Amino acid sequence: MKSLVTLILGGNRGDRKILLDSAVDALASKYELVNKSSVYETEAWGGVAKGLFLNQIIQIKTDQAPLNFLAFIQQVEMSLGRVRDEFWGDRTMDIDILFWDDLIIDSPTLKIPHPYMKARKFVLEPLNELSPDFIHPVLGKTINVLLQECKDKSKVRRIKK
């Protein structure tokens, strides 16, 4: 049985739109693309990165194991010029797993649901577009409620469906 995996993709270096489209294409060439949000231009989060990001949520179906899937998305990041030289720094592409169905994984290499999503408006806005009623398996709240409770005041602007 295939799992529904929800990802956020984004970057703030290079041609952001081409890189975002290339990441979506790379994932859709290997997995079943179920849904995708609009593209959002967002302020950097975490105080390290400087430029504006383009972000998008996608949902795919896979029968691959989570750690194997993680290795694949890290390969996609690297193929698009990702260099991991500064934590939360500027980057061409970042792909994070937000949800894997309603699975909870807490290992040194992978944490699902993503542990910072509830504090990040740039995640919650596009996620709310796709899945406002999805209940976070750890917090027990819908995405819509998490967005309403989010204290992040950074600018998040929908730019394209």
Side-chain angles (χ1 to χ4, degrees), residues 7-157:
L7 306 165
I8 184 160
L9 295 72
N12 70 335
R13 289 287 180 227
D15 188 323
R16 301 170 305 161
K17 182 65 171 105
I18 288 175
L19 288 164
L20 190 61
D21 290 343
S22 296
V24 171
D25 290 346
L27 288 156
S29 73
K30 185 167 171 96
Y31 306 105
E32 178 188 348
L33 180 63
V34 175
N35 206 354
K36 62 183 180 176
S37 73
S38 301
V39 174
Y40 289 77
E41 188 171 61
T42 66
E43 292 181 323
W45 187 92
V48 178
K50 301 297 182 231
L52 294 173
F53 281 74
L54 286 187
N55 290 106
Q56 187 172 32
I57 301 280
I58 68 168
Q59 294 176 317
I60 60 162
K61 286 198 174 182
T62 181
D63 54 7
Q64 198 167 26
L67 288 176
N68 293 338
F69 182 81
L70 177 64
F72 177 76
I73 63 175
Q74 288 173 339
Q75 288 175 347
V76 171
E77 290 174 338
M78 288 183 359
S79 75
L80 295 174
R82 172 75 188 261
V83 177
R84 295 180 182 274
D85 58 355
E86 186 175 30
F87 195 66
W88 289 340
D90 297 312
R91 52 201 168 270
T92 56
M93 181 52 52
D94 187 29
I95 304 172
D96 288 336
I97 302 170
L98 300 175
F99 296 112
W100 194 285
D101 289 326
D102 59 356
L103 191 65
I104 298 169
I105 299 176
D106 189 4
S107 76
T109 53
L110 184 59
K111 296 189 183 320
I112 300 174
H114 193 286
Y116 300 113
M117 84 168 68
K118 71 178 183 180
R120 295 174 169 176
K121 190 174 171 188
F122 75 88
V123 174
L124 294 171
E125 283 276 350
L127 191 54
N128 190 60
E129 177 188 335
L130 292 186
S131 303
D133 298 322
F134 181 79
I135 297 173
H136 191 291
V138 173
L139 302 175
K141 297 178 180 182
T142 66
I143 299 306
N144 187 266
V145 168
L146 291 174
L147 177 59
Q148 291 174 32
E149 293 177 351
C150 184
K151 295 183 183 357
D152 179 7
K153 300 301 180 201
S154 60
K155 291 184 179 119
V156 175
R157 180 176 68 95

